[in-house]
Amino acid sequence: MATAVKSAQRVLELLEYFAEERRPAAVGEIAQTLGWPQSSTSVLLKCLSEAGYFDQDARRGMYVPNVRLALATAWIQEHLYSDSNLLRLLEQVKDRSGHTVSDRATPRRAGCAACTCCRPPARDGSWPKRGR
């Protein structure tokens, strides 16, 4: 594997590591957990820190992704959970289930929206009661 590609793979593995750990970590701990040489881990973290995507506490030797990384990737969640994508997903649920699906228009929290899926109306046109 080419060095540049290997480094890109390691950056992604590093991001997944921090997504799971959710706390600052030392070079040695990261290297041991990911099975990387400590020297390579140190160089990669230093590079990401100098590029402004990780913060380093030099006194404690800890690294953590910072707000620049969060802001650089925030558009992904916004795109995935945009109104148009949610409506498309609701339409897919309706098509696959044969049930009526509607956005309950509740306030959105943390990128989530509530929806209701209910049975289709009976042959006489009446709707089932909630919870049945």
Side-chain angles (χ1 to χ4, degrees):
M1 183 182 306
T3 303
V5 174
K6 187 174 184 179
S7 293
Q9 180 66 36
R10 284 190 171 171
V11 168
L12 296 174
E13 290 174 14
L14 185 63
L15 294 176
E16 288 175 353
Y17 169 85
F18 278 102
E20 188 173 312
E21 292 296 321
R22 296 179 177 262
R23 61 177 178 75
V27 172
E29 176 187 355
I30 296 166
Q32 182 177 9
T33 301
L34 297 177
W36 300 346
Q38 188 161 338
S39 60
S40 299
T41 306
S42 182
V43 168
L44 181 60
L45 285 164
K46 184 177 180 188
C47 178
L48 291 169
S49 180
E50 289 174 354
Y53 291 100
F54 274 69
D55 287 335
Q56 177 190 18
D57 180 343
R59 185 176 49 83
R60 293 178 38 218
M62 306 290 270
Y63 286 87
V64 66
N66 66 23
V67 70
R68 181 175 180 191
L69 182 62
L71 292 172
T73 58
W75 71 273
I76 298 169
Q77 183 170 346
E78 292 169 6
H79 171 73
L80 291 175
Y81 298 107
S82 70
D83 288 339
S84 62
N85 277 343
L86 287 175
L87 292 174
R88 182 180 48 75
L89 290 171
L90 290 173
E91 190 70 28
Q92 289 176 358
V93 169
K94 179 186 78 75
D95 291 345
R96 291 180 184 171
S97 69
H99 294 201
T100 300
V101 181
S102 66
D103 183 343
R104 289 181 23 204
T106 58
R108 292 198 177 142
R109 295 170 300 191
C112 297
C115 67
T116 301
C117 181
C118 56
R119 295 184 183 117
R123 291 184 188 188
D124 65 2
S126 64
W127 287 89
K129 293 186 180 184
R130 185 178 206 136
R132 296 191 179 171

